[in-house]
Amino acid sequence: SVNVTVGTVCIPPVDPIASNSGFVQQMYRDFFAREADAASVTYWEGLLNSGAQTRASLIQTFMGSGEFQAKAAPITRLYKAYFKRMPDHEGLWYWVGLFGNGKNVADISQTFSDSPEFKAAYGSLGNSAFVDLVYQNVLGRAGDAAGKAYWLGLLDSGKQSRGDVMIGFSESAEHVSTSTNHLNLVLAYEGMLRRNVNATEYSTGLARLNAGVNVTQVIAELMAAAEYKARFTVTGCQ
């Protein structure tokens, strides 16, 4: 934030989240990358003012919304499925931006399947060994006979590419379920701190979520952190 001087009067900047109305508008920017419409601001502001929602629970609601999940969640899961890691900050938002401008998950998956990182892990494998490794890397288990036969049949017949198969595994009910805490942790840091979670934060945070700590508590802790507050620090007039 910067000060604005009008004549001899210095007008300090306004903290964008000082009011509940401003907070709602900032959450639209952080999670939806767009400005909020007036009716939505009024609705969410009313819930905050009445105590029906806290700011932390509102962030969780935004993270779980169809608009945010439809873009950020599949891409985050693809990174985990393809590369066994969280997305880098720039990469995630690059693909989210493309997703909102005509690209779909299949397009992004195909690009991932052509990447050197993917080819280094899978490129030398035949279809059978490829399916075996995908089961281990994505679902953390060996493939059942029927499941392996199904995916192998699609590959061998040419009905699906390896990129198509990766989407099938990444968006499977099993992977969606087992990666929920991973997803919540990654997207909380991305949406709130505008960066990816580091290795220490990830291991500690994931262990807590897996132990039953509610994601709303994690969000509340991030809101209380100096790093989050610094995003909206307002300097006074000198």
Side-chain angles (χ1 to χ4, degrees):
S1 299
V2 295
N3 298 321
V4 176
T5 301
V6 179
T8 59
V9 179
C10 178
I11 303 173
V14 176
D15 180 351
I17 65 170
S19 67
N20 283 336
S21 173
F23 179 79
V24 170
Q25 293 176 68
Q26 186 62 45
M27 293 310 98
Y28 268 82
R29 299 180 192 114
D30 285 349
F31 291 95
F32 300 155
R34 65 177 176 86
E35 293 300 318
D37 59 279
S40 295
V41 173
T42 299
Y43 173 76
W44 294 113
E45 182 186 11
L47 292 180
L48 290 172
N49 289 342
S50 69
Q53 283 215 352
T54 65
R55 289 189 172 193
S57 69
L58 182 62
I59 289 177
Q60 184 179 4
T61 298
F62 274 45
M63 281 174 51
S65 69
E67 182 173 352
F68 187 65
Q69 288 285 318
K71 297 178 181 179
I75 296 169
T76 303
R77 283 192 290 266
L78 277 180
Y79 268 93
K80 188 172 186 293
Y82 266 93
F83 310 125
K84 298 179 66 178
R85 64 174 173 85
M86 67 191 74
D88 55 286
H89 174 73
E90 292 78 10
L92 174 63
W93 294 105
Y94 170 77
W95 292 114
V96 167
L98 288 183
F99 196 106
N101 287 281
K103 293 287 185 181
N104 57 36
V105 175
D107 296 327
I108 296 169
S109 183
Q110 189 57 51
T111 301
F112 281 18
S113 71
D114 291 332
S115 69
E117 188 174 355
F118 181 74
K119 289 180 178 178
Y122 296 97
S124 64
L125 301 177
N127 285 341
S128 179
F130 169 77
V131 172
D132 286 339
L133 188 55
V134 171
Y135 265 100
Q136 289 292 346
N137 285 350
V138 181
L139 302 182
R141 64 175 177 84
D144 55 284
K148 179 178 178 179
Y150 171 76
W151 293 111
L152 191 57
L154 291 175
L155 286 170
D156 287 343
S157 67
K159 291 180 179 178
Q160 287 201 358
S161 67
R162 290 189 172 189
D164 295 328
V165 170
M166 291 302 295
I167 294 175
F169 275 83
S170 182
E171 291 301 293
S172 68
E174 183 175 351
H175 187 240
V176 169
S177 176
T178 58
S179 63
T180 295
N181 287 339
H182 163 86
L183 186 77
N184 284 335
L185 191 61
V186 169
L187 295 184
Y189 274 80
E190 285 289 348
M192 296 178 68
L193 301 184
R194 316 310 293 171
R195 67 172 174 85
N196 62 315
V197 55
N198 67 39
T200 300
E201 293 164 340
Y202 179 79
S203 60
T204 301
L206 190 63
R208 293 180 67 209
L209 290 173
N210 288 342
V213 173
N214 193 286
V215 67
T216 308
Q217 182 175 336
V218 174
I219 290 169
E221 291 166 0
L222 289 178
M223 288 183 64
E227 184 178 354
Y228 184 73
K229 293 177 179 178
R231 288 189 58 203
F232 311 106
T233 297
V234 176
T235 58
C237 293
Q238 302 300 317

